[in-house]
Amino acid sequence: MSQKHLKEAFISNLNGTSLLEISLGLSLAPLCLLCRGLLLILYYLHYGKPLSSRKYSLLLDFLVLVSPLVFSCTVLSPVIFFMPTVIAAFCAGIFSKIYSQRKQETRVPFRQIVRDFQKTYLDPEYIPAITVFRVYVNVLTSISILAVDFPQYPRRYAKAETYGTGVMDLGVGAFIFSNALVCPEVRQKSCVTQAKFSSLARQLFSVWPLIFLGVGRLLSVKSIEYHEHTSEYGVHWNFFFTLAFVRLAASLLLAIFPKNKSWIVAINLAVLYQLTLNTTPLKMFILHGSNGRDTRAGFLNANREGLLSLFGYLAIYMASVQVGLCLLKCRNSVKGWTEAVCSFLLTVLVLFVFLHVSQAYADPVSRRMANLSYCIWVVAHCLTFFIFFVVTDLTLVFTKLLVKGSSVPCCWNVVEPPRTSKKHETEAVPVGGEGKLSHICLISAINKNQLLFFLLANVMTGAVNILIDTIHSKTAFTLCILHLYMFFNCLIMYILHAKNIVLKFW
């Protein structure tokens, strides 16, 4: 068997992992973020100044925010159930040290701290959890697309063949979810019809880089005979095309329907698509082709997975638009965000109940078809992931109140209460030196050039696979390659951010 076929077989016929393992795995990134924030606050407490060295800041960010995730999906995957407990215990130890070493003159009773925390106002112009969520979806995807080609990456984390819940199956849907959270329809305030259709025209122009990247990937993969899993998207289709067409279709729907009713559109899309799968030959066509023997003759047969899964991904996108609109509602206080977290937790609980019902009576989760169960699963887990980040941010805000003057990059800014006069009712004045550390934050760096980061990860993955026999790599070599690959990608983003370069011209 050729190297190409060996690698294709290595990532084929898999069944995924359990929902519990994925949920526990999702808690690792927020815990790493919490650990980084607590370490920076502890540093400020000891030295009376923030960590200002760019070199050490990058090193700290990489070792705490990225490296544990590389280990968790390779050598530490057998003990993944214990990792959140270990990191949480470490964070608790740092918090205890901060609490016990506060300056004597700033010490107040714990109950008073909690009361002050509940009354704290947060910068309404910036929701750090959205930024961190989107960046970590990108980071986790970048790790997985290369790690999956090494034997140290558990096969249960890779994409399932037909039915199943692999980590990489969630990653595809999470990418769609994260894009919808900050789409123009969510960010713009105007709902006038003319504005809607002008937005559609802008979207039509803005997706050309995705089309270009999709064509570039198609030509490069075919020209060098790079290994590919045909049942993912088909012979010619790829994820860049899916992103582009979902964005265009969603913009069209949002120009027709009210955007605050996008959840209704999402439900209708997902349910009607599932009914079509169950009551027509469509499911058999997706799984086995028009002749029942997996034919790839003709464009539709060749790319049936990529083309027909667009309905499911579009449903996820529309549901995510609704989430984005909910997040932009005026919640400028800790109390407001605590209530929001409770609402989202209730939503997640309901979604998991619906997921159980859908899997029992409709169809198991299938990323290949992007069926109803897959849509519910993706939205439920993405909301869970987002809730983890909001809780992390609130915890860091609480800790910053213990150490006056401390700052954490990509964390909520504490502001003065909004003024009561109508003229200034939405004004918020920052307290202290918040935001000064954004220039030495890896998360901010990746956030500025997210598409470039994803593209660079894809190019580097291809280069590593061409140069290295990944399937037969030893553990130490694998870890070295994965760390070098991620550090190089992060370093490029960091340098661009330091020079204030944003490579976006469309």
Side-chain angles (χ1 to χ4, degrees), residues 66 143 153 168 246 302 342 358 375 412 415 435 441 474:
V66 179
I143 293 171
Y153 189 86
M168 293 186 73
V246 164
C342 293
S358 177
C375 295
W412 255 311
V415 297
C441 178
K474 301 295 183 184

Side-chain angles (χ1 to χ4, degrees), residues 52 81 156 171 255 281 346 353 361 500:
S52 56
F81 287 91
R156 66 184 186 276
L346 183 60
V353 171
Y361 297 102
N500 200 28

Side-chain angles (χ1 to χ4, degrees), residues 65-270:
L65 300 180
V66 179
S67 189
L69 303 179
V70 175
F71 282 106
S72 69
C73 67
T74 50
V75 292
L76 294 181
S77 58
V79 293
I80 191 73
F81 287 91
F82 300 102
M83 284 189 67
T85 306
V86 171
I87 299 176
F90 184 68
C91 289
I94 301 173
F95 179 83
S96 176
K97 194 173 184 65
I98 291 170
Y99 187 79
S100 62
Q101 293 186 2
R102 290 172 299 151
K103 291 180 180 178
Q104 190 68 40
E105 62 271 17
T106 61
R107 292 192 177 186
V108 292
F110 186 78
R111 285 185 181 180
Q112 183 61 43
I113 296 170
V114 173
R115 281 197 291 268
D116 292 343
F117 172 65
Q118 290 173 337
K119 296 174 184 176
T120 300
Y121 279 82
L122 306 168
D123 185 357
E125 298 298 318
Y126 175 58
I127 304 173
I130 295 178
T131 299
V132 178
F133 175 89
R134 297 183 72 242
V135 167
Y136 260 115
V137 166
N138 223 325
V139 168
L140 290 166
T141 301
S142 299
I143 293 171
S144 294
I145 59 175
L146 178 59
V148 70
D149 294 314
F150 290 90
Q152 289 75 20
Y153 189 86
R155 297 300 91 195
R156 66 184 186 276
Y157 289 178
K159 288 177 182 173
E161 185 67 29
T162 302
Y163 296 105
T165 52
V167 174
M168 293 186 73
D169 293 311
L170 177 62
V172 177
F175 221 99
I176 297 288
F177 188 97
S178 69
N179 272 266
L181 283 181
V182 294
C183 69
E185 291 83 4
V186 170
R187 286 182 278 119
Q188 70 182 16
K189 295 179 182 178
S190 174
C191 293
V192 182
T193 304
Q194 187 178 359
K196 286 183 178 181
F197 284 98
S198 63
S199 173
L200 178 60
R202 286 195 299 271
Q203 283 286 75
L204 191 63
F205 176 73
S206 68
V207 299
W208 75 260
L210 294 172
I211 301 290
F212 178 77
L213 292 173
V215 172
R217 177 178 170 78
L218 172 63
L219 295 176
S220 60
V221 165
K222 299 300 180 185
S223 62
I224 63 175
E225 293 192 353
Y226 189 76
H227 67 279
E228 53 184 332
H229 194 187
T230 306
S231 66
E232 279 187 43
Y233 300 105
V235 177
H236 311 104
W237 203 262
N238 58 57
F239 189 56
F240 289 112
F241 291 140
T242 293
L243 279 176
F245 280 89
V246 164
R247 280 182 61 179
L248 283 177
S251 295
L252 180 60
L253 287 175
L254 291 166
I256 299 170
F257 300 101
K259 60 184 181 181
N260 61 346
K261 303 294 182 185
S262 58
W263 66 277
I264 298 175
V265 179
I267 291 172
N268 280 298
L269 266 172

Side-chain angles (χ1 to χ4, degrees), residues 259-326:
K259 60 184 181 181
N260 61 346
K261 303 294 182 185
S262 58
W263 66 277
I264 298 175
V265 179
I267 291 172
N268 280 298
L269 266 172
V271 171
L272 287 173
Y273 177 51
Q274 184 63 54
L275 285 172
T276 308
L277 286 172
N278 284 2
T279 58
T280 69
L282 186 63
K283 185 191 295 186
M284 295 305 293
F285 172 71
I286 295 175
L287 298 180
H288 306 293
S290 57
N291 66 352
R293 287 177 287 185
D294 201 28
T295 178
R296 293 288 171 179
F299 183 77
L300 184 57
N301 265 305
N303 304 287
R304 54 185 186 267
E305 293 91 352
L307 292 169
L308 293 169
S309 64
L310 287 173
F311 293 104
Y313 290 126
L314 183 56
I316 293 170
Y317 193 99
M318 295 300 289
S320 310
V321 167
Q322 190 70 57
V323 174
L325 291 171
C326 290

Side-chain angles (χ1 to χ4, degrees), residues 409-442:
C410 286
C411 177
W412 255 311
N413 295 335
V414 176
V415 297
E416 294 286 357
R419 299 176 186 177
T420 53
S421 66
K422 289 185 179 179
K423 184 179 179 181
H424 301 289
E425 62 183 358
T426 58
E427 285 188 13
V429 183
V431 176
E434 299 288 350
K436 292 181 180 178
L437 295 180
S438 61
H439 69 285
I440 55 169
C441 178
L442 182 58

